[in-house]
Amino acid sequence: MIRLLRSNFLQHPNHCKPNTALCIITQRTFLVQRTSHSPSEFNTYIYGSLLQSCILNGDYPTGKSLHCEIIKKGNCLDLFASNILLNLYVKYESLPDAVKLFDEMPGRNTVSFVTLIQGYSHCFRFSEAIGLFSRLREEGHELNPFVFSTVLKLLVSAEWAKLGFSVHACVCKLGFNSDAFVGTALIDCYSVCGYAECARQVFDAIEYKDMVSWTGMVTCYAENECFEESLKIFSQMRIVGFKPNKYTFASVLKACVGLEVFNVGKAVHGCAFKTSHLQELFVGVELIDLYIKSGDVDDALQVFEEMPKDDVIPWSVMIARYAQSGQSEEAIEMFCRMRQGLVLPNQFTLASLLQACASLVDLQFGNQIHCHVVKVGLDKNVFVSNALMDMYAKCGRMENSLQLFAESPNCTDVSWNTVIVGYVQAGNGEKALGLFKDMLERQVQGSEVTYSSVLRACAGIAALEPGSQIHSLSVKTINDKNTVVGNALIDMYAKCGKIKDARLVFDTLREHDRVSWNTMISGYSVHGLYREALKTFELMLETECKPDKVTFVGILSACSNAGLLDRGQAYFKSMVEEYDIEPCAEHYTCMVWLLGRLGHLDKAAKLVHEIPLEPSVMVWRALLSACVIHNDVELGRISAQRALEIEPEDEATHVLLSNIYANARRWGNVASIRTNMKRKGIRKEPGLSWIENQGGVHYFSVGDTSHPDTKLINGMLEWLNMKTRNEGYVPNCNSVLLDVEDVDKEQRLWVHSERLALAYGLIRTPSISPLRIIKNLRICADCHAAIKLISKIVQRDIIIRDMNRFHHFHEGICSCGDYW
């Protein structure tokens, strides 16, 4: 905005408003002079006036013709008129003619140089412009405020604003630091660099501050997020007696949004209304932002309705703010209105609209927008292309997203992040890590979004080794200091079984937000370390960070995992009464599991019926799981029936119901459930366990014989079987829910997937390192008992993460206390 202001106030002296009457008089005077004087007489003043008239009236061809006539008459223009002619060529971007004229001028002054510098700048030939400025100094021409303001504007346009320090030094030496024009240009330069304090020093040195200077300082503070200072300088400006203009109002409103002082913003709105600036585009856009950020969507819409709508900017702002605030349907409706008003969308409009489609998972409308993008030729635009990738990824069409990524001619880090995040959200961590590797090989610099996303991928597949390498890389690139990346590191280490490393990252974070606390509490909870989880919660309460729904999910989960009924009920009560948090399905699931796991099935069933809304599948499944443990067939049957009414094809419910019948030896019911599953096309998820070794992941299923080390694995299992029996191990045949003989059950127990992974780990990993195994199902009671003994026999820590929690086996003891 300052640049716009400066371009208005710092125009070339010859640039004035056109005066048609004056032009006509000048032309008539020229004709009189032309007819009354001899052909040999040349009046440079008349030609200069006519050339100026051509500039003011936009008559470039006539100006060109006059130049031809001047050349015919001997090219005898004086320096003043030559500068006007040079300005004509610069103004109409005929730079080659301007350069030729400049080179042929017998004499040049400061105005000549500055005029051509502006011409180079308008054509984005910044290097030549800077070179010309150097020539101006070398030839000893005057350095005045006009020169310095032009050069500073050039540096900002060329994104070389940091060179403004050198120009500032020269300004101070020549004593122009108190000039308002030069000072305002310096403020703009320092603002772009982010040096608000330097800009303030320049501002304070200006002797006679004008409206542009005050506005420049207000804008500088607002653009550099010094919002309080922006409001203070605005107040001082008003006290001095200056009336704000549209640029001032826009910057002050931005500061109000940044500080979230929405009432102050509304007062500024009133001031803008009194001074008739509400129709200004910049002011209207900031007012829309103010009201949407404050939650007053209706007021934002009213501001929009009162604005002129022939420009795409207000439409784009409304669509963007709707999309960003989760009001995606309103964003699409606004776009339809825009098209009815015959306003053409730009790349920002379409990018915001695609964001709305992604939020709604509206693939059909997204495809239509894609077609429109191709028609108008914006498919190669990086903003639109990235938005299209994101839309397809969130709509589950990763193949389309990847195709757009491959075809994009100018992929940025945002493009890479979009596809990586898409794979992470789709649960395909391996491909996300593969893309990250390609990104590094192509030397594309990752951002905090990149690192947090790939760390989420590592957490999802429990890939500790890649996660540790990414941690090292984030330290080298200083991204580990970012809170979002730090939170992802905590989550990664917690889900990969290294809870102590997760705590170390937590303790080294510069600041903890709510996500940091929640991630640490949940990490402790899933590891069964309820004391640490509750202690961390108490520490959180001592900070300004208040708990939310996710916090209490972690706390109630910790109580459920430890069987802490009284404390769990107390926390559940305090959540409602002290923190005014409405319980959701996850909270009720934790409480139902807490009651049910302890055997209070009646109380658990009563709580389910007391839930204000319709209980979710998770709640009924938690009650069903408790019934499986305590062999309550009837309540389990009712729970399964209710769950299947909500999700008839829920695989987990069918399996749990089958298990409860198998425990009760009701094999006919088991067979019936399996037949029903087969008829519906529902397949039971096979039990899988995997272990990481030297960058590779080794998968095992029940009774798997496909691994290259099968013979060694079987030998290790036989040795473990013998050693554990010597230590008093007795197979728990109830863990095999099949109608077969006990001998067959014992054989099946020793080929469970977690034992195969354990045997492989004992063979192939260093004896001093802990073994980390991931299992996709709940660990059975027999494997749990056997692995406790194995940890004592082989003198190694064994960490197993099943679908519910972590089990840390050490010296024959498990961290869960045999309660899981």
Side-chain angles (χ1 to χ4, degrees), residues 32 44 139 156 170 214 253 296 310 328 339 400 471 480 611 661 693 728 747 783 786:
V32 171
T44 184
E139 294 181 14
V156 171
C170 189
W214 284 99
L253 288 167
D296 296 332
D310 53 351
S328 301
R339 297 299 291 129
N400 297 73
H471 186 185
D480 64 313
I611 296 174
Y661 283 134
N693 181 36
Q747 291 176 349
C783 286

Side-chain angles (χ1 to χ4, degrees), residues 176-188 199 202-203 206 213:
F176 292 122
N177 52 310
S178 61
D179 183 87
F181 282 172
V182 178
T184 303
L186 278 168
I187 290 170
D188 187 25
V202 172
F203 177 78
I206 297 174
S213 308

Side-chain angles (χ1 to χ4, degrees), residues 281-282 284-285 288 304 307-321 331 334-335 337-339 341-353 372 376 378:
L281 181 62
F282 297 121
V285 166
I288 290 171
F304 170 77
M307 289 177 65
K309 298 179 182 58
D310 53 351
D311 196 294
V312 69
I313 293 177
W315 291 98
S316 293
V317 170
M318 279 301 295
I319 291 169
R321 295 299 177 265
M334 185 63 68
F335 175 74
R337 277 187 59 192
M338 174 183 170
R339 297 299 291 129
L342 302 179
V343 178
L344 294 176
N346 59 18
Q347 63 267 36
F348 305 109
T349 321
L350 295 168
S352 299
L353 188 65
H372 178 74
V376 297
L378 285 172

Side-chain angles (χ1 to χ4, degrees), residues 357-426:
C357 294
S359 300
L360 292 172
V361 195
D362 190 344
L363 181 61
Q364 183 178 1
F365 193 69
N367 281 330
Q368 293 176 16
I369 299 300
H370 190 179
C371 293
H372 178 74
V373 165
V374 174
K375 285 180 182 178
V376 297
L378 285 172
D379 52 318
K380 302 303 180 185
N381 179 274
V382 67
F383 296 106
V384 179
S385 178
N386 290 341
L388 279 168
M389 291 179 207
D390 183 57
M391 184 274 293
Y392 280 121
K394 288 180 178 174
C395 291
R397 299 288 292 272
M398 278 307 300
E399 64 278 4
N400 297 73
S401 183
L402 197 61
Q403 182 180 354
L404 285 168
F405 175 77
E407 294 173 353
S408 179
N410 48 357
C411 285
T412 63
D413 61 325
V414 178
S415 312
W416 287 92
N417 291 342
T418 301
V419 184
I420 289 171
V421 170
Y423 274 125
V424 173
Q425 291 174 340

Side-chain angles (χ1 to χ4, degrees), residues 738-749:
L738 295 172
D739 188 14
V740 295
E741 298 295 329
D742 285 353
V743 176
D744 292 332
K745 288 183 179 181
E746 290 181 20
Q747 291 176 349
R748 287 176 178 271
L749 287 171

Side-chain angles (χ1 to χ4, degrees), residues 742-795:
D742 285 353
V743 176
D744 292 332
K745 288 183 179 181
E746 290 181 20
Q747 291 176 349
R748 287 176 178 271
L749 287 171
W750 275 99
V751 291
H752 274 191
S753 61
E754 56 265 52
R755 296 197 207 192
L756 295 173
L758 174 60
Y760 170 81
L762 290 171
I763 295 166
R764 293 299 185 189
T765 60
S767 59
I768 58 172
S769 64
L771 294 172
R772 291 183 175 84
I773 299 168
I774 312 298
K775 182 176 173 63
N776 65 333
L777 301 178
R778 185 174 182 269
I779 187 171
C780 74
D782 186 76
C783 286
H784 192 272
I787 294 173
K788 281 201 303 181
L789 287 172
I790 292 170
S791 69
K792 181 180 178 182
I793 292 166
V794 299
Q795 290 294 295

Side-chain angles (χ1 to χ4, degrees), residues 26 53 61 123 243 245 260 286 298-299 334 359 382 425 470 524 568-569 588 614 664:
T26 304
S53 298
C123 295
K243 292 183 179 180
N245 58 28
E260 296 185 356
E286 292 298 339
D298 292 339
D299 288 339
M334 185 63 68
S359 300
V382 67
Q425 291 174 340
I470 293 167
Y524 277 134
Q569 289 178 326
Y588 284 112
E614 183 68 27

